[in-house]
């Protein structure tokens, strides 16, 4: 097994990775920015190296600084974490060129899946259904107009380099096309330095369903079930659950089988997630993440596995420890993403945490880098804690999540906790009948009343 790993991330996800390393007996190095001098994972790592100032461009995204830190601390692998360089093919290549293991798939797989147009093409080749739409990047609004006529409105303009729901515009009719084109390409250019757009049929009110995959370097691939991530704001996930409450058993079976076959065809050899939208009884591939995702924890809750541990073992060259038949799914799990944000406006709310009290008790897991007296920096993602709750069935998981939300205290900053209390107590949510537009529709209709608990 690896003897020392550098963790090139921050926040709760860096801590998450550190914990798996410790359990595998692997020493850890935290590569961190100046703003994270006092971060929990830096305190708990065996060694730490400051790789630059607070802005991510000068630290967490600075490839030379990260690799330099790995060389001077003499690690044998880099775990790229969840955001930042985790889906950067050039970085994966460079890490390997320096004789280090990159804990993730091949650079070629990262590159192809990172470009959403290339990913659509590959998905078709490996047998996945994709949303009807463009074959390649669109060259002009006129070309988009022609294609939209074929697909039928509404359509969705999406950024080829997309991520985090940015550079995406729903076009309801031909006269909106020009305006949406300018908005989407402008946003894509600003966020990704790449204004290329493509077009997909807009599936009205779908569910977002994704499949967790594990593949090894010997060609074995298994799935660990699906996750329903339809509770979203601005196309970003806020709450996830598994199993999905809205997927008929035969559709679920087909989705999981097709996903495994596709990954076998591709020769995928790490942890990864295939994302789909599911509407009108059909599912369509939208993208693949070639890394561990924030919401992997609910899969861990119902399978009893440690996905980061598996990911590290695969990167070391070990075969998968389980066959598909050996994976068992027990109960139901829900994750709430506790963000340092105003729960009404979703404006970031970083700052000093006066006191922090995490929930406890049976079936409750909190992954967080918070502690009383910690200051949430303004420079990064607003996720500060994940509340992951397991129950024997969905009703039990909901009741337990409500109980755990009421126990959790984060004082000093605004968080999304009050919004989760409202969602979990909502009758429509409990019925399981929701889609990706549900949260925003419910908020507009005033049906979610926020409470401090
Ligand atoms: P990003 O990489 O920016 O997160 P995705 O392609 O994963 O973008 O899509 C994010 C969300 O946008 C999905 O979860 C879904 O809610 C919505 N979405 C994406 N594609 C479609 C589509 N063709 N029809 C309807 N909704 C979609």
């Amino acid at each position: 097994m690896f003897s020392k790993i550098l963790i090139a991330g921050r926040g709760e996800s860096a801590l998450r990775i550190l914990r798996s390393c410790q359990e595998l007996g692997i020493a850890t190095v935290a590569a961190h920015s100046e703003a994270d001098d006092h971060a929990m994972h830096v305190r708990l790592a065996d060694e730490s190296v400051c790789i630059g100032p607070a802005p991510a461009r000068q630290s967490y995204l600075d490839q030379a600084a990260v690799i330099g830190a790995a060389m001077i601390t003499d690690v044998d692998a880099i775990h790229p974490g969840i955001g930042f360089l985790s889906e950067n093919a050039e970085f994966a290549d460079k890490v390997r060129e320096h004789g280090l293991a990159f804990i993730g798939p091949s650079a070629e797989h990262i590159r192809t899946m990172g470009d959403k147009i290339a990913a659509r093409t590959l998905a078709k080749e490996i047998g996945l259904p994709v949303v009807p739409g463009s074959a390649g990047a669109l060259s002009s609004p006129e070309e988009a107009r022609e294609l939209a006529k074929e697909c039928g409105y509404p359509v969705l303009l999406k950024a080829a380099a997309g991520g985090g729901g940015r550079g995406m515009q729903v076009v309801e009719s031909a006269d909106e096309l020009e305006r949406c084109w300018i908005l989407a390409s402008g946003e894509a250019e600003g966020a990704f330095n790449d204004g290329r757009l493509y077009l997909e049929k807009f599936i009205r009110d779908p569910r977002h369903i994704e499949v967790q995959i594990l593949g090894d370097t010997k060609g074995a691939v298994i799935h660990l079930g699906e996750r329903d991530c339809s509770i979203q704001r601005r196309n970003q996930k806020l709450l996830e659950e598994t199993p999905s409450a809205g997927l008929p058993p035969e559709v679920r079976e087909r989705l999981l089988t097709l996903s495994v076959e596709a990954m076998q065809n591709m020769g995928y050899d790490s942890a990864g997630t295939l994302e789909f939208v599911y509407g009108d009884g059909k599912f369509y591939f939208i993208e693949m993440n070639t890394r561990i995702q924030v919401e992997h924890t609910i899969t861990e809750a119902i399978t009893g596995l440690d996905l980061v541990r598996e990911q590290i073992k695969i990167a070391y060259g070990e075969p998968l420890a389980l066959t598909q038949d050996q994976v068992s799914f027990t109960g139901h799990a829900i994750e709430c993403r506790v963000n340092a944000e105003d729960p009404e406006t979703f404006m970031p709310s970083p700052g000093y945490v006066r006191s922090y009290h995490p929930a406890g008790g049976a079936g409750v897991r909190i992954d967080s880098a918070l502690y009383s007296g910690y200051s949430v920096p303004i420079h990064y993602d607003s996720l500060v804690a994940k509340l992951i709750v397991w129950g024997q069935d969905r009703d039990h998981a909901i009741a337990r999540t409500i109980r755990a939300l009421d126990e959790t205290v984060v004082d000093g900053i605004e968080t999304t906790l009050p919004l989760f209390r409202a969602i979990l107590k909502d009758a429509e949510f409990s019925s399981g009948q929701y889609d990706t537009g549900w949260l925003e529709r419910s908020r507009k209709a005033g049906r979610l009343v926020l409470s401090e608990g």
Side-chain angles (χ1 to χ4, degrees):
M1 186 36 70
F2 298 121
S3 54
K4 203 200 260 190
I5 290 179
L6 178 134
I7 302 169
R10 64 171 306 281
E12 67 78 27
S13 63
L15 192 53
R16 164 72 194 84
I17 294 158
L18 184 132
R19 286 174 171 147
S20 290
C21 291
Q22 286 180 336
E23 290 170 16
L24 281 163
I26 302 169
T28 51
V29 177
H32 67 90
S33 74
E34 282 168 7
D36 281 332
D37 267 350
H38 302 288
M40 183 69 97
H41 79 282
V42 176
R43 292 181 172 197
L44 293 179
D46 296 300
E47 291 171 60
S48 62
V49 181
C50 182
I51 51 169
R57 294 223 159 275
Q58 296 168 51
S59 48
Y60 294 107
L61 290 170
D62 182 340
Q63 300 185 22
V66 175
I67 294 173
M71 301 312 283
I72 57 168
T73 51
D74 203 20
V75 300
D76 33 24
I78 294 185
H79 194 301
I82 284 188
F84 303 126
L85 297 169
S86 61
E87 288 179 300
N88 187 309
E90 184 195 338
F91 179 66
D93 268 338
K94 274 195 202 154
V95 170
R96 289 175 177 140
E97 278 161 20
H98 280 80
L100 306 172
F102 175 83
I103 300 179
S106 73
E108 183 204 333
H109 287 164
I110 301 175
R111 193 169 284 120
T112 309
M113 287 305 185
D115 181 313
K116 295 186 145 195
I117 296 171
R120 269 171 67 82
T121 309
L122 178 64
K124 275 192 249 176
E125 281 167 22
I126 57 178
L128 294 172
V130 301
V131 192
S134 48
L138 297 163
S139 56
S140 65
E142 288 66 44
E143 195 188 347
R145 203 186 307 275
E146 280 305 305
L147 197 61
K149 219 195 282 169
E150 266 172 52
C151 297
Y153 287 93
V155 295
L156 194 58
L157 284 174
K158 295 174 86 170
R166 283 164 304 175
M168 209 184 278
Q169 288 288 326
V170 183
V171 191
E172 295 285 351
S173 64
D175 25 300
E176 287 181 9
L177 211 138
E178 186 98 30
R179 185 180 57 88
C180 291
W181 176 278
I182 294 166
L183 284 174
S185 56
E187 198 183 358
E189 190 66 54
F192 314 113
N193 221 358
D194 177 354
R196 285 177 308 139
L197 297 181
Y198 67 106
L199 181 147
E200 276 180 3
K201 170 101 191 122
F202 179 65
I203 311 296
R204 207 166 295 272
D205 302 335
R207 293 181 86 108
H208 173 117
I209 308 280
E210 59 188 34
V211 178
Q212 177 67 54
I213 292 292
L214 283 183
D216 68 18
T217 51
K218 325 286 173 207
V221 176
I222 58 172
H223 72 75
L224 300 178
E226 85 286 10
R227 295 186 284 263
D228 192 323
C229 315
S230 305
I231 300 292
Q232 303 185 346
R233 56 103 162 66
R234 299 186 202 126
N235 296 317
Q236 288 175 354
K237 299 163 190 168
L238 212 50
L239 176 150
E240 303 91 358
E241 62 177 314
T242 184
S244 168
L247 206 56
E250 64 286 359
V251 179
R252 176 176 190 268
E253 210 38 57
R254 201 173 126 64
L255 176 71
L256 297 174
T257 309
L258 264 188
S259 297
V260 169
E261 283 170 8
M263 291 297 95
Q264 276 165 344
N265 292 342
M266 185 174 158
Y268 189 72
D269 63 355
S270 186
T273 303
L274 289 165
E275 299 195 335
F276 300 86
V277 282
Y278 171 64
D280 303 329
K282 294 195 197 110
F283 54 82
Y284 305 96
F285 168 85
I286 50 170
E287 72 160 341
M288 179 174 186
N289 284 142
T290 51
R291 55 170 167 82
I292 284 282
Q293 286 181 302
V294 169
E295 62 273 23
H296 74 280
T297 52
I298 51 173
T299 300
E300 295 184 324
I302 66 160
T303 60
L305 294 169
D306 174 336
L307 266 66
V308 175
R309 179 185 178 92
E310 296 310 318
Q311 187 196 29
I312 293 171
K313 282 163 53 184
I314 292 167
Y316 189 69
E318 288 189 19
L320 285 180
L322 294 130
T323 61
Q324 190 66 62
D325 293 344
Q326 288 169 327
V327 180
S328 58
F329 299 94
T330 312
H332 195 96
I334 296 175
E335 175 182 271
C336 299
R337 297 190 186 201
V338 183
N339 293 335
E341 285 171 5
D342 181 308
E344 289 278 3
T345 61
F346 298 125
M347 290 299 286
S349 170
Y352 182 73
V353 178
R354 247 192 328 271
S355 68
Y356 167 60
H357 174 81
V364 175
R365 162 178 172 185
I366 294 204
D367 276 18
S368 173
L370 284 180
Y371 56 85
S372 297
Y374 176 64
S375 275
V376 178
I378 53 169
H379 311 278
Y380 313 108
D381 189 271
S382 58
L383 181 70
V384 291
K386 303 190 304 200
L387 171 66
I388 306 113
V389 178
W390 179 89
Q392 282 161 1
D393 55 29
R394 188 165 188 267
D395 287 345
H396 186 208
I398 290 177
R400 214 173 228 176
T401 307
I402 293 172
R403 187 271 290 166
L405 284 165
D406 285 339
E407 274 180 34
T408 309
V409 179
V410 183
D411 242 0
I413 55 170
E414 297 277 356
T415 73
T416 43
L417 282 167
L419 177 63
F420 289 121
R421 293 188 184 108
I423 294 172
L424 269 292
K425 287 176 189 159
D426 185 87
E428 255 174 41
F429 175 79
S430 322
S431 76
Q433 295 310 303
Y434 60 81
D435 55 55
T436 53
W438 179 82
L439 181 63
E440 278 169 31
R441 283 198 308 277
S442 303
R443 276 158 41 88
K444 268 195 202 123
R447 62 175 290 143
L448 295 173
V449 182
L450 307 192
S451 78
E452 284 306 317

